[in-house]
Amino acid sequence: AVHAQDGGDRKRAAKADVPRQGANRPRAAAKASGAGQDRRARRGLGQDGPAGAVARPPGREGHALMAQLIASALPAAPSAGAAPVARLHEVQLRYGKTTALDGVTLDIPAGVMVGLIGPDGVGKSSLLALLSGAREIQQGRVEALGGDMAERRHRNVVCPRIAYMPQGLGKNLYPTLSVEENLRFFARLFGHSEAEQRRRIDELTRATGLQKFLTRPAGKLSGGMKQKLGLCCALIHDPDLLILDEPTTGVDPLARAQF
């Protein structure tokens, strides 16, 4: 889970030539955490749902189930000498005259959660987008899941095994589609049967407290609920590499433990 609390790259244009979403198994997660907390996280999720239902933190059962879902995406701790799930070597990225990344060299081990921490504007989101294949590599080498992300053939093979939840509330969602329609869309992209779609949707929405809001359009959700739905969409195809950029922005402190 890559979790950057404050975004430094909101206004920067991304050059994307491959799908942002993808997914299947050694799982690694990146969490980039910035300095400040979004004030909206303190407002909670108190938004009316169908038939006057109110969204609340899902309680012990939901927290336990969500923890189980995340844990199932991560194998046991890697053995010494295991190949990294991703690797960067002398990576540089510029936006005009501004240098976002300057000679970054980094190995990300497989089978663990990795946190990327830093203040606003230091290139955390840019680095994550490069790892996911959603941003063009300008200089240096970026490897993920055993190959060079600069090669289109490799991206076409591994991007379906990568899940990328970009920075910003609901950026990986379709606002006019309902919660269930968004989840079904991503599940169908990766070839899940009708029965498997139902099982995964029920499991994920029960864990996140979204089950009461399956018919609500994503654009009508609160910020925290959008983030939960975005996480569900990222997890629905069981990715090998899970990249989350600021996943708890807008999420109340109680529900934040689910991430």
Side-chain angles (χ1 to χ4, degrees):
V2 187
H3 162 51
Q5 277 300 358
D6 292 304
D9 302 318
R10 283 192 184 92
K11 297 181 180 179
R12 295 168 182 150
K15 296 180 180 178
D17 60 351
V18 295
R20 292 188 179 186
Q21 288 287 344
N24 281 309
R25 226 172 269 257
R27 288 122 177 144
K31 247 188 192 181
S33 291
Q37 294 290 349
D38 193 325
R39 292 181 180 176
R40 287 170 295 187
R42 300 179 183 177
R43 298 178 187 170
L45 300 179
Q47 183 166 350
D48 291 340
V54 176
R56 297 183 177 88
R60 293 183 180 179
E61 181 181 352
H63 283 282
L65 180 55
M66 196 60 182
Q68 181 180 351
L69 289 171
I70 297 292
S72 70
L74 297 171
S79 58
V85 70
R87 175 174 287 163
L88 297 93
H89 180 71
E90 292 296 322
V91 173
Q92 297 189 30
L93 184 69
R94 296 182 63 87
Y95 299 97
K97 296 181 180 181
T98 302
T99 300
L101 300 171
D102 188 12
V104 175
T105 296
L106 176 68
D107 283 358
I108 300 176
V112 296
M113 183 177 291
V114 177
L116 187 60
I117 302 172
D120 291 350
V122 297
K124 302 184 299 296
S125 293
S126 295
L127 188 150
L128 301 182
L130 288 172
L131 283 175
S132 71
R135 191 180 297 277
E136 183 180 27
I137 300 168
Q138 294 179 356
Q139 188 172 336
R141 183 178 177 88
V142 178
E143 297 179 8
L145 299 176
D148 188 354
M149 293 300 284
E151 298 179 1
R152 182 180 294 273
R153 180 179 299 179
H154 178 70
R155 292 198 305 274
N156 290 340
V157 171
V158 301
C159 278
R161 299 165 54 198
I162 298 173
Y164 175 44
M165 181 177 165
Q167 178 187 41
L169 298 176
K171 285 296 183 66
N172 62 333
L173 304 177
Y174 292 89
T176 58
L177 298 183
S178 69
V179 168
E180 180 161 359
E181 287 170 339
N182 269 280
L183 289 166
R184 284 194 178 277
F185 171 77
F186 285 105
R188 286 198 299 266
L189 280 180
F190 300 100
H192 292 314
S193 66
E194 184 71 22
E196 183 65 9
Q197 289 178 39
R198 183 75 272 153
R199 184 189 70 80
R200 289 176 182 245
I201 289 171
D202 288 346
E203 188 175 41
L204 288 165
T205 56
R206 186 168 59 250
T208 55
L210 291 175
Q211 200 165 36
K212 296 179 180 179
F213 305 94
L214 290 176
T215 61
R216 177 173 294 184
K220 300 291 186 179
L221 297 174
S222 68
M225 292 171 74
K226 287 178 181 177
Q227 292 299 84
K228 288 184 176 184
L229 178 56
L231 177 62
C232 290
C233 290
L235 288 172
I236 201 162
H237 56 280
D238 203 16
D240 291 345
L241 176 58
L242 175 63
I243 301 175
L244 307 179
D245 192 350
E246 300 193 19
T248 61
T249 296
V251 180
D252 69 271
L254 291 176
R256 195 170 291 162
Q258 294 175 284
F259 289 80

